[in-house]
Amino acid sequence: MPKLYVPASAEDRWYAWWEQQGFFTASNAPEDTRETYTVAIPPPNVTGTLHMGHACRTTFEDVLVRYERMKGKNALWVPGTDHAGIATQVVVERKLKAEGLTRHDLGREKFIERVWEWRKESGDTILGQLRKMGASCDWSRTKFTMDPDLSHAVREAFVRLYEEGLIYRGTRLVNWDVVSQTVLSDLEVETEENVKYTEEFGVCELFDFAYKLDAEDAAATGVDEIIVSTTRPETMLGDTALAVHPEDERYKGLHGRFVTHPFVDRRIPIVCDATLVDPEFGTGVVKVTPAHDPNDFATGKRHGLEEISILNKDGTLNENGGPFAGLERFEARKAVKAKLEELGLARGKRKHVMSLPRSQRSGSIVEPMISTQWFVKMEPLAGPAIEAVESGKVQILPEDWTKTYFHWLRNIQDWCISRQLWWGHGIPAWYCGDCEHMSVSRTDLSACEKCGSANVEQDPDVLDTWFSSALWPFSTLGWPNQTPDLARFYPTQDMETGYDILFFWVARMIMMGLHFMGEVPFSRVLLAGLVTDERGQKMSKVKGNVIDPLDVIHGATGAHLLMKAEQAGAAADGVEYLRTTYPDGFDAYGADALRMTLLSYSPQSRRIALSIKRIEGYRNFANKLWNAARYVLGRLVGQDGEPGPHPDARATGARPAVTALPNRWILSRLDVALASANAGITAYRLDEGSQALYHFVWDELCDWYLELSKPLLDGDDRALAEETAAVLLHVLETTLRALHPMMPFITEEIWQRVPRAGVAAGETIMLARYPQAGTDSLRDEASERELAVVQEFVVAARSIRAEYDLPRKQGIAIHWCADDAEKVATIETARSLIEALAGATLTQEEAAKVDDPHQHFTLAAAFVLPGLRGVVPGVIDPVKERERLTRQLTKVEKELGTLEKKLTNEKFLGGAPAEVVEQTKRDAAELREKRDQMSGAIARLG
RNA sequence: AGGCACGUAGCUCAGUGGGAGAGCACUACCUUGACACGGUAGGGGUCGGCGGUUCAAUCCCGCCCGUGCCUACCA
């Protein structure tokens, strides 16, 4: 085995073998009665390649799936990809643009062909990347949301909901994206907050202008004009009313009067509306544009106002724009303002900080527009989804999110599901050109259901991507057909995803699962944070701070990173950030290191600020594990053709019997680690589970046990050496199994080299049994207490070594004494171990001599432990020793001080539980003794 | 505006009603037969601020300051 673990070759080799052997495939054999464990992957969008967020998802899910598989379940992880309607269409259109084409140049059919080509490319890339991450998906069940079977499911769901009256077609004010030229659901609109004034679009400016009263109304009321304010001056072309508060004294005389529109031939009524108007704001008069503002729309309905749309689908003004028709919306805004100035109707402007609604995909400012679209009635679906979480049938982790879930579902709006795109599931509705009948049908229609005319056309729109995603947990298993997979694997167990799609996806899956299957689609929702760069900023191509998981796994030079960022369109400061933060690029850290890193962040955190240093740390951990294995295998069975002293040693999967303290101790510590690992994984605290194993391997197995094993293996006691050999192999093999869900590659690589027999002799670690506390390990409190004494002793000796710069080769003598027989026995038994680890020779001494080192030894350094003291003669510089002891004494006195303060507090003695008081007294007594010993030692230094 | 988080060592973050932790960074020493992607020993924090509950608060409660996200509205 080489000194350094090299991930690259091991990863590809083992993954190909696992896949080819069919280890990932879930069983559907009728005689297989194992409990199932199913996870549906959150299907990545076929918009390009996987990012760090996907890597995070993949790792978490893979840990859960591998764990349950090793626990003996029939584990199924369904992989697949999402067609991602709008996002994918945008990507392909951008590629066309590079060729100087638009989708309209190609036409719908040819364009869709191009998208399919792209989806093949992107989809294959993504599935390949999942494999690089180690994902143990059942590839034989791979799905794509536009596969024929899943499209069939979408159509069935649509038709059923329509027949049940839960899908309807309606004319509403919707969110219009003028760049993508499609309607968006409320969720796809993102509000940009606190936007400042920008010259270019003229946004965030409150512009005042006057409407002149009709001549006769002006004469009758003596009022000449009314001033209104707006942030969108061009919408005044669609104004069909002015509203005032009914109680507003200033305008009481104007109720029912009219103003004249300055640009179009329209008389505009002045109406009273207490809901819309806040008399305190501005002039107390609101211009009402029912066709372009949600509040105005509602106001229009209340007053029966005309709805005049002024925009074309591309954001230019239509014929209702009068003299401004044809202008682009922001041009029109400028032109309207200029014209109002010219007419002397402008009444000033001021900057106004506000929020702007933007399209999640195109980033353009969303326009409210009246349009006929398809909607899902949400209230009847939301009720059961709320109940499912309330009753605990679905558990959301971390729990904080349940509140958010309830809040959204309890205030839910109908869901606009039609999109004016080309890429997506067609809407199964046909319109008759003759009788105007609309048919919604499971099968494609060539004739009108009502009049039989062949003059029928399918609705040109497609469905929101999330409509098909909502069916994912059961459509991937064969629904609406009653397949064996559906019967066996639905409902699934865990749904792990990012909290950002809790509404988009998770809530809708629960609604649809309950509606169509009558059962929740999964019993737990596991929400993870969003991966950001190390500053905590969202990764984005423009910021240049995107970290490609594959670059971390395979390594990348600084130049390569810069080139990629520039190609992706990073801004100058983004490139600079990249250059200064990662000047040397990345080493090939390997998939296991990346996985461990992602696992190490708490799921409670909403942000995963991915740190390369941290990845490096886990790369080092992989290497530590590798070298621990090198040691064990080299010392026992030998390596590289050299037979070792224990050629017959085997890991059998059975816990060896142990007598020696270090062997008892390591099995006990393993027990604690295994308990934490199991508890952590099942509670979705993968950070705690992985950290327990990290800590065990590094701080206990490597730092102590491997060192302790050396004198045991080299000693004269053959039986003890055999016992130790068995324990070393057992602990190594068990630890590998425990780590396998997190670090699948390196654990397989090492495990295959471990000589195994009995139940440990399996073909692959991924189908080996996951280790269990109490079975594979054994808690032994006594061994922990005893070994703690050994550790304290060794550390004390090493401290003296370090303090006086004693070289490793220079042996030291330690004269020690202990207060009770138990401690004396422990040290006597472990004497050779302590000597080996401390590089010392131990001599038990009378307490009188140890406690007065100045009298009995020359230049002796001293240490004081609970019930145990030692001196090391011939090493000290008295001045330095005084400093060292004083430093320690200060700490002890400080600690003692807080305890004594408590113990002199009557209220504490009276109010605290007896056991707490007792413990405090014991601690104080121990510290007091230590203090006395130390101050005595200092005093005796002279 | 409302809601939800968060504020702990230089950095990134765990954690708990009773003795402040990890990784990285830092200091000193060590190329020792598993590992320098290493070892040993260290230094470093009034747990955001102010009150309250409690025998006891970093933890529970209230207010304030700061940060992030979500929802709604902004003529």
Side-chain angles (χ1 to χ4, degrees), chain A residues 16 25 99 169 262 270 475 515 565 678 691 698 705 748 759:
Chain A
T25 311
E99 301 167 28
R169 195 162 182 252
I270 297 167
S475 65
H515 189 73
N678 278 284
Q691 210 221 320
W698 203 310
Y705 184 68
E748 182 79 288
V759 295

Side-chain angles (χ1 to χ4, degrees), chain A residues 167-476:
Chain A
I167 279 183
Y168 65 94
R169 195 162 182 252
T171 302
R172 297 285 184 86
L173 195 70
V174 296
N175 309 297
W176 188 261
D177 179 340
V178 300
V179 170
S180 307
Q181 293 197 33
T182 178
V183 65
L184 302 173
S185 74
D186 296 340
L187 283 178
E188 289 165 302
V189 178
E190 292 178 340
T191 37
E192 183 185 353
E193 293 186 65
N194 299 323
V195 185
K196 306 285 191 309
Y197 174 75
T198 55
E199 184 72 34
E200 190 186 354
F201 301 134
V203 295
C204 301
E205 177 189 75
L206 207 52
F207 183 85
D208 297 344
F209 68 94
Y211 272 114
K212 294 287 183 190
L213 260 74
D214 278 9
E216 55 198 70
D217 285 347
T221 60
V223 176
D224 176 49
E225 64 178 35
I226 289 186
I227 299 170
V228 294
S229 302
T230 178
T231 53
R232 294 184 295 157
E234 74 284 5
T235 61
M236 58 86 70
L237 295 162
D239 284 355
T240 53
L242 299 185
V244 296
H245 195 278
E247 305 302 324
D248 192 334
E249 295 296 337
R250 293 171 292 179
Y251 302 111
K252 277 217 161 146
L254 297 179
H255 300 172
R257 303 288 180 177
F258 285 83
V259 298
T260 304
H261 200 282
F263 304 133
V264 295
D265 180 20
R266 190 184 307 149
R267 289 178 74 230
I268 298 177
I270 297 167
V271 301
C272 294
D273 197 291
T275 310
L276 180 69
V277 182
D278 171 9
E280 304 296 316
F281 190 96
T283 58
V285 188
V286 185
K287 59 187 277 304
V288 184
T289 322
H292 293 288
D293 182 277
N295 290 321
D296 295 3
F297 183 78
T299 307
K301 291 292 181 207
R302 286 197 290 273
H303 296 273
L305 300 174
E306 198 182 349
E307 292 157 4
I308 298 177
S309 177
I310 61 162
L311 285 174
N312 291 312
K313 288 180 176 175
D314 62 358
T316 60
L317 266 64
N318 64 20
E319 67 281 3
N320 292 326
F324 305 97
L327 288 179
E328 189 274 336
R329 54 185 168 155
F330 297 117
E331 291 304 316
R333 180 170 301 173
K334 285 181 195 162
V336 166
K337 279 155 67 177
K339 193 71 184 171
L340 287 168
E341 298 273 2
E342 191 185 316
L343 294 177
L345 294 172
R347 292 292 180 270
K349 57 188 175 188
R350 52 198 181 278
K351 285 173 189 172
H352 181 67
V353 175
M354 59 182 277
S355 305
L356 276 182
R358 287 185 180 278
S359 160
Q360 188 188 45
R361 291 295 163 194
S362 72
S364 70
I365 295 171
V366 166
E367 294 291 339
M369 281 188 19
I370 289 176
S371 178
T372 302
Q373 303 288 346
W374 290 91
F375 295 87
V376 179
K377 205 179 276 182
M378 296 305 273
E379 239 189 318
L381 295 169
I386 293 169
E387 195 276 330
V389 173
E390 277 173 344
S391 67
K393 285 195 282 258
V394 174
Q395 187 190 6
I396 299 178
L397 288 175
E399 278 182 33
D400 305 342
W401 290 106
T402 49
K403 264 190 200 171
T404 313
Y405 174 86
F406 288 137
H407 182 261
W408 187 70
L409 282 173
R410 286 176 181 144
N411 296 284
I412 199 158
Q413 304 289 312
D414 284 356
W415 173 19
C416 177
I417 50 168
S418 44
R419 294 290 181 279
Q420 288 63 53
L421 305 171
W422 287 356
W423 175 242
H425 299 282
I427 291 175
W430 283 262
Y431 307 102
C432 177
D434 293 331
C435 74
E436 296 192 343
H437 177 74
M438 181 184 78
S439 318
V440 169
S441 166
R442 285 178 174 80
T443 54
D444 287 0
L445 292 186
S446 52
C448 175
E449 283 182 337
K450 191 176 175 194
C451 71
S453 160
N455 183 17
V456 289
E457 272 193 46
Q458 187 176 0
D459 192 303
D461 291 350
V462 300
L463 287 166
D464 181 6
T465 298
W466 295 106
F467 187 84
S468 58
S469 311
L471 314 176
W472 185 253
F474 45 97
S475 65
T476 50

Side-chain angles (χ1 to χ4, degrees), chain A residues 708-719:
Chain A
L708 289 164
S709 75
K710 290 171 186 175
L712 295 180
L713 290 174
D714 294 340
D716 299 328
D717 188 336
R718 295 307 304 158

